[in-house]
Amino acid sequence: MLWRISFFLLWQLAGAGLGWWQGGVWGAVLGAAVAVWVWFVWDLVKGARVLRWLRTGELADTPEMGGVWGEAADRARRLLRNQQAEVRSSESRLQEILAALQASPNGVVLLDAQGRIEWCNQIAATQFGFDAERDVLQSIGNLLRNPEFTAYFSARDFSTDVVLEGRLSTPSRPERISVHLHPYGDGRTLLLSRDVTALEQADAMRRDFVANVSHEIRTPLTVLTGFVETLQTLALNADERARYLGMMAQQAVRMQSVVQGLLTLSRLEGSPLPGMTEWTPVQSLLERCEEEGRALSVLLTQAQQRPHVMQFPSSEMLRLQGDIAGAPSELQSALSNLISNAVRYTPAGGSIIVEWTRQGDGSAVFSVRDSGPGIAPEHIPRLTERFYRVDRSRSRETGGTGLGLAIVKHVLQRHGATLGITSTLGKGSVFSVTFPASRLRAPGLPA
Ligand code: ADP
């Protein structure tokens, strides 16, 4: 500033000196006045340039000039540059935060104080049918027309969530979305949504399972208790006693089978996958299947004197990767179970054909074909559910628990194999197990 005042004085002196040289004292006064005016106008022009530039704020157009105005422009330019860098960094931080919210596995919607959508991620857009761009600033109440949500939103008690029916929900494919609002900032609200369909289904399955187990155990228990009371209160002759005790033993065996089946399932769920180094000769599996199948058939058909017509595959040299531990092994029980079902459900005199075939791609199929009652198509997808039976009384008559196919499915999954069921009502069923080529070895090859 001192320099500027000195320069102004010098400039005035120079004007006065020039005026003195041209016209004496009056010339000096006039010269000083003209110098002041020139200084003033020049200063105005520079100031106007700086102001004009500040209005646009374009860093690239910063006016190049010296003096105080030059310094002011320079400082303003630096300030502007810092400010723009800050804006850019905040913008990129905001984008990063939005990208993180976008990557969230749950739906996220940011609502302003009036309940209008400020931003939402793709998951929320899909769950609620929003358009993430078009619906910005639309009121959530107008877009999410669900009475439960409306009540939840207007009550403004956001301590818990509300579970809504998904917009694509159908009776066969239910969809349940949990919505939880969290107030934040200046009256704003954060909406978090989560697909809880699987959770609710798992919960329902757990409840069903407990109810089924209780039912399965309670029924024979009630019968047993009844017989015990009868034996305690009535004077029965030896024959009657023996008959009642026989029926009691039957119920006890039934309960035992249910508990055994449940223990098997829980062991399969909890135990590690079978070792990949164990190899079982397919031949010995098939031989055991035949032995057990024929024995069961004799037992069930001897009264009618019409045995099943049974056919089993001849020799097979392959080895199958799978656990051979346990007697019988997991694999053995699963394959035998399919044969046992065929024997139990096929009336005496019917046919049961067991086959082992190699496919072109190296995989192998173990199949059990029977000429039994067959299964209606609507039951087929549910047969591997625990306790699912097409005909409860028929299953019970033959000592079934409704857990057999659930166990089979589990064992096969653990061995990389798949179960296929085809059936024609009144004609019979085919239960087939496909083992992938990777699980089979020709004899002689190292494991
Ligand atoms: P269960 O112990 O009752 O036999 P499973 O889980 O083995 O239970 O089978 C489930 C249901 O599938 C059976 O109750 C029966 O209704 C049906 N099922 C299984 N195998 C056959 C078959 N070979 N023929 C007809 N129905 C079958």
Side-chain angles (χ1 to χ4, degrees):
M1 196 38 106
L2 198 64
W3 184 84
R4 184 172 157 83
I5 293 168
S6 315
F7 190 68
F8 176 68
L9 289 175
L10 267 176
W11 178 260
Q12 232 180 338
L13 263 178
L18 204 65
W20 176 272
W21 177 53
Q22 289 293 323
V25 176
W26 285 110
V29 172
L30 193 65
V34 168
V36 167
W37 270 103
V38 167
W39 174 276
F40 181 63
V41 170
W42 180 234
D43 219 39
L44 262 186
V45 168
K46 287 197 328 191
R49 268 183 73 196
V50 171
L51 262 180
R52 202 169 48 233
W53 165 70
L54 277 175
R55 269 187 217 116
T56 65
E58 278 295 329
L59 278 181
D61 296 341
T62 316
E64 291 287 338
M65 63 181 76
V68 160
W69 286 112
E71 191 182 331
D74 198 42
R75 283 175 188 248
R77 184 174 59 82
R78 260 182 273 162
L79 268 176
L80 265 175
R81 201 180 50 205
N82 290 347
Q83 215 174 35
Q84 284 186 0
E86 262 172 42
V87 169
R88 266 200 305 274
S89 123
S90 313
E91 178 72 20
S92 85
R93 294 265 314 137
L94 178 68
Q95 288 310 323
E96 277 167 21
I97 291 168
L98 291 183
L101 293 180
Q102 192 64 267
S104 155
N106 298 327
V108 182
V109 185
L110 307 181
L111 300 172
D112 67 10
Q114 281 73 46
R116 292 175 307 190
I117 297 175
E118 287 188 315
W119 184 89
C120 75
N121 71 356
Q122 203 44 50
I123 301 264
T126 313
Q127 281 172 344
F128 302 118
F130 298 160
D131 184 313
E133 278 165 25
R134 197 194 55 214
D135 290 337
V136 167
L137 288 184
Q138 294 290 323
S139 165
I140 185 112
N142 290 340
L143 294 175
L144 199 49
R145 289 189 173 279
N146 180 308
E148 286 164 65
F149 177 76
T150 312
Y152 174 67
F153 192 54
S154 48
R156 303 207 74 78
D157 172 14
F158 303 144
S159 52
T160 56
D161 63 343
V162 62
V163 179
L164 312 176
E165 192 82 25
R167 71 191 176 95
L168 301 175
S169 186
T170 60
S172 58
R173 279 181 68 96
E175 192 188 81
R176 307 276 294 158
I177 309 288
S178 144
V179 173
H180 202 161
L181 290 171
H182 303 270
Y184 75 99
D186 209 2
R188 291 185 148 79
T189 325
L190 169 73
L191 181 153
L192 294 179
S193 60
R194 196 159 57 99
D195 189 333
V196 290
T197 316
L199 261 177
E200 289 208 342
Q201 273 172 351
D203 212 34
M205 267 171 73
R206 189 187 50 76
R207 279 195 307 268
D208 284 356
F209 180 67
V210 172
N212 276 330
V213 172
S214 316
H215 176 79
E216 293 296 327
I217 303 280
R218 202 184 47 210
T219 313
L221 209 54
T222 314
V223 179
L224 259 178
T225 323
F227 283 135
V228 169
E229 263 173 37
T230 312
L231 286 174
Q232 281 172 334
T233 51
L234 294 181
L236 302 169
N237 63 34
D239 274 359
E240 281 169 333
R241 272 185 83 83
R243 198 159 59 85
Y244 281 3
L245 284 171
M247 289 196 276
M248 284 169 76
Q250 235 178 26
Q251 297 304 320
V253 168
R254 201 179 131 199
M255 276 201 307
Q256 223 170 15
S257 320
V258 172
V259 173
Q260 189 57 46
L262 288 172
L263 285 175
T264 306
L265 271 173
S266 104
R267 202 190 57 238
L268 287 174
E269 277 171 351
S271 62
L273 285 179
M276 301 291 277
T277 50
E278 311 271 15
W279 291 87
T280 308
V282 173
Q283 184 61 31
S284 63
L285 282 175
L286 296 176
E287 278 166 9
R288 256 315 265 286
C289 284
E290 181 167 359
E291 240 170 66
E292 290 178 3
R294 288 195 191 278
L296 185 66
S297 167
V298 169
L299 190 74
L300 296 181
T301 58
Q302 62 191 2
Q304 291 98 325
Q305 299 266 307
R306 276 194 311 134
H308 287 124
V309 179
M310 299 184 90
Q311 194 178 309
F312 287 87
S314 48
S315 70
E316 171 56 65
M317 301 310 287
L318 284 178
R319 284 179 300 157
L320 190 57
Q321 194 173 45
D323 206 350
I324 49 171
S329 71
E330 275 180 31
L331 265 176
Q332 181 68 63
S333 318
L335 302 186
S336 290
N337 193 295
L338 298 180
I339 298 174
S340 137
N341 276 356
V343 173
R344 289 192 295 121
Y345 293 105
T346 305
S351 76
I352 293 160
I353 301 170
V354 180
E355 284 176 317
W356 174 272
T357 39
R358 281 310 285 280
Q359 310 272 86
D361 60 358
S363 61
V365 181
F366 169 87
S367 64
V368 184
R369 178 188 303 273
D370 65 52
S371 62
I375 305 159
E378 67 271 21
H379 295 295
I380 292 182
R382 301 197 58 191
L383 291 184
T384 53
E385 286 176 22
R386 289 157 195 215
F387 297 116
Y388 190 85
R389 287 119 152 178
V390 177
D391 179 347
R392 273 183 182 270
S393 55
R394 175 96 186 85
S395 158
R396 214 161 280 155
E397 258 170 45
T398 59
T401 56
L403 293 172
L405 289 179
I407 296 175
V408 169
K409 186 180 160 196
H410 247 292
V411 170
L412 297 185
Q413 269 172 357
R414 286 161 59 79
H415 289 81
T418 49
L419 176 68
I421 307 172
T422 52
S423 189
T424 313
L425 211 53
K427 290 217 163 114
S429 320
V430 184
F431 285 76
S432 51
V433 179
T434 307
F435 293 99
S438 57
R439 301 266 178 168
L440 295 158
R441 281 281 183 284
L445 279 185

